[in-house]
Amino acid sequence: MTTNKSKELFERAQRSIPGGVNSPVRAFKSVGGTPLFMERGKGAYMYDADGNQYIDYINSWGPMILGHAYEPVIKAIQEKAMLSTSFGAPTELEIEMAELIKSMAPNVDMVRMVSSGTEACMSALRLARGYTGRNKFIKFEGCYHGHADAFLVKAGSGVATFNIQTIPGVTAGVSMDTLTAPYNDLPSVEKLVAENKGEIAAIIIEPVAGNMGCIIPLSGYMEGLRAICDREGIVFIFDEVMTGFRLAAGGAQERLGINADLVTYGKVIGGGMPVGAFGGKKEIMQHISPLGNVYQAGTLSGNPIAMIAGYTMLKTLKDNPGIYKELDDKTATLHKGLDEILGKGDVPYVINRMGSMISVHFSDKPVNDFAAAASADNARFNLFFHAMLDQGIYLPPSAFETWFISKALSAADIEQTIEAARKALQA
Ligand SMILES: *Cc1c(COP(=O)(O)O)cnc(C)c1O
């Protein structure tokens, strides 16, 4: 497999784009080597500039849940584009999108569309603050909620991948109101709440974490957080940018059976176009402008091309609930296969999985929080990543990311992946 064209493109990109990429994790910096430049994708596969084929386990970090170039979405975009790509005035499609989201997501009476997961989380936090009249909020170590200033404290994903401790450009004043606790540790949240009585606007969490590898909430943890929020008048925000419309039609709320006060969406909701959303109970959402005084806006929010892509994606998922079982089964097959291969070796490992999110940590103890994920043998992960890539298996280029399974992945693809893992571990 040659990747000369990608190498040339990376050289060229670095002269005009910082680090050669428009989002840090794409740069392969932590795993080493040259990032591959992609040209096209179809179903479970993508093809780089040199024409190499890869089985894709990133799927655009989630949106390609039905595989690349899913025809109904592509067709809908083409048809809509002929009618103009933007108006800056409301359209009926935005109502249909909102109604569709409400019909799938629990506890969403009203929803506001934005253009990214970052925007969704940033706006939900502002709303929670405006609604409660409080400033502080709690997030969890290793959880990523986009790159808005307030969230860049112990954020996972790229921030963890590059081991950035404090972020230049984020003022101490902003970070001061961000309180952090380890994931899956209820007593530490109780302690923060007691120390900041009546001052906490929100608790925001990835209900199944995907930005430190995949990490599952332990039994009783979410229930405990819910109870604290109820007791203290704290807005409970589920960041479902990754889990929304992926773990179930109703996301993690449905899958875990926990009610959130506000929910944020991104990734799958846009069907591959730049879309985010936040929604929740009317009592809270009515504080958003122009209905209320908490300001939030966007020139391209509810953009017709983005909306038709997202609408078509969500409608497909809603009308075919069997997709979720299929995704679960495929991921379980991969899990079982990897277990058999890894179990034969002498390298300690942990596989975490829920629905179509799965990841491997090379660790000799359970990985239930960021500290455990960070203390795993991530140098070994990087070797594993490259050994897989050389065999045409495209995993996320960091141990601090979950893998995303798509419906397009076939039994043969999974078999090929498991065989590649066997060879990768012998290397
Ligand atoms: C990806 C992600 C975000 C940020 O979304 P963008 O669209 O990249 O701005 C926020 N929260 C979670 C949980 C994510 O995985």
Side-chain angles (χ1 to χ4, degrees):
M1 177 190 293
T2 66
T3 56
N4 294 335
K5 252 189 133 175
S6 279
K7 289 193 178 95
E8 272 170 40
L9 290 170
F10 190 49
E11 282 298 314
R12 185 174 143 209
Q14 288 175 92
R15 291 198 287 275
S16 306
I17 303 170
V21 293
N22 279 312
S23 195
V25 177
R26 294 179 199 166
F28 277 25
K29 224 171 137 182
S30 77
V31 291
T34 305
L36 300 172
F37 282 65
M38 293 302 159
E39 220 164 61
R40 64 195 170 92
K42 185 68 197 164
Y45 313 118
M46 51 185 185
Y47 302 85
D48 69 12
D50 291 277
N52 300 307
Q53 176 184 292
Y54 302 91
I55 300 178
D56 188 8
Y57 284 94
I58 301 185
N59 286 293
S60 184
W61 305 95
M64 300 295 140
I65 190 168
L66 302 177
H68 287 277
Y70 180 68
E71 258 163 52
V73 170
I74 302 301
K75 259 193 104 213
I77 291 173
Q78 285 170 337
E79 280 169 15
K80 207 69 185 167
M82 297 302 286
L83 307 177
S84 181
T85 52
S86 186
F87 300 103
T91 58
E92 185 177 358
L93 179 55
E94 291 163 79
I95 312 171
E96 283 169 6
M97 183 66 166
E99 288 171 353
L100 180 60
I101 293 168
K102 282 169 62 175
S103 75
M104 297 171 78
N107 302 304
V108 173
D109 302 330
M110 295 186 126
V111 60
R112 171 62 59 88
M113 302 309 301
V114 293
S115 300
S116 69
T118 293
E119 260 189 280
C121 295
M122 177 187 90
S123 307
L125 176 62
R126 182 183 307 138
L127 174 56
R129 285 170 160 167
Y131 171 70
T132 57
R134 303 170 179 177
N135 291 338
K136 296 181 182 174
F137 75 101
I138 298 176
K139 76 175 284 289
F140 299 90
E141 290 167 21
C143 282
Y144 181 66
H145 305 294
H147 66 91
D149 288 0
F151 296 119
L152 290 181
V153 180
K154 297 189 177 168
S157 189
V159 182
T161 301
F162 301 129
N163 195 23
I164 301 169
Q165 298 302 330
T166 54
I167 315 270
V170 177
T171 65
V174 166
S175 304
M176 214 171 57
D177 289 325
T178 305
L179 310 175
T180 62
Y183 201 88
N184 274 323
D185 179 354
L186 211 47
S188 70
V189 176
E190 286 285 13
K191 187 162 171 284
L192 284 177
V193 169
E195 287 166 357
N196 299 274
K197 197 91 187 149
E199 292 186 273
I200 296 173
I203 293 179
I204 184 167
I205 193 162
E206 288 181 61
V208 173
N211 285 294
M212 40 183 162
C214 177
I215 291 187
I216 315 293
L218 296 175
S219 163
Y221 179 59
M222 285 297 157
E223 289 81 357
L225 292 177
R226 178 68 269 179
I228 291 172
C229 289
D230 287 339
R231 193 185 72 211
E232 305 288 337
I234 294 170
V235 177
F236 197 19
I237 307 174
F238 263 24
D239 178 350
E240 296 229 40
V241 171
M242 220 176 241
T243 55
F245 311 103
R246 170 168 288 279
L247 292 185
Q253 285 196 90
E254 179 185 327
R255 185 108 187 189
L256 303 176
I258 301 286
N259 299 320
D261 300 317
L262 286 178
V263 196
T264 63
Y265 296 107
K267 300 190 169 119
V268 172
I269 202 174
M273 295 296 286
V275 180
F278 63 102
K281 307 217 173 91
K282 183 167 180 222
E283 187 201 331
I284 304 176
M285 287 300 288
Q286 69 187 1
H287 290 267
I288 280 285
S289 56
L291 193 54
N293 294 331
V294 179
Y295 196 70
Q296 193 281 329
T299 301
L300 292 175
S301 294
N303 171 273
I305 310 303
M307 289 303 95
I308 200 65
Y311 181 88
T312 308
M313 174 69 78
L314 296 194
K315 191 81 171 64
T316 305
L317 294 170
K318 184 185 175 185
D319 292 346
N320 302 279
I323 287 174
Y324 291 105
K325 168 95 171 58
E326 191 184 331
L327 285 167
D328 280 18
D329 289 348
K330 284 180 174 169
T331 316
T333 305
L334 177 66
H335 186 167
K336 188 164 162 278
L338 290 173
D339 247 342
E340 279 165 15
I341 300 296
L342 288 158
K344 279 187 203 136
D346 46 15
V347 178
Y349 71 97
V350 172
I351 298 176
N352 289 338
R353 166 173 67 93
M354 186 176 284
S356 53
M357 293 166 66
I358 182 170
S359 68
V360 177
H361 289 100
F362 293 106
S363 168
D364 57 7
K365 52 181 188 291
V367 179
N368 295 322
D369 60 15
F370 180 73
S375 67
D377 186 351
N378 294 328
R380 180 170 292 277
F381 177 87
N382 295 345
L383 291 174
F384 181 67
F385 166 83
H386 276 293
M388 293 297 274
L389 191 65
D390 289 346
Q391 299 175 80
I393 314 292
Y394 197 96
L395 302 176
S398 166
F400 296 113
E401 304 289 352
T402 188
W403 312 359
F404 298 97
I405 305 309
S406 89
K407 182 186 178 295
L409 199 68
S410 70
D413 295 329
I414 295 171
E415 219 171 280
Q416 192 182 328
T417 304
I418 292 164
E419 178 57 20
R422 194 179 62 76
K423 289 196 185 128
L425 291 162
Q426 284 167 351

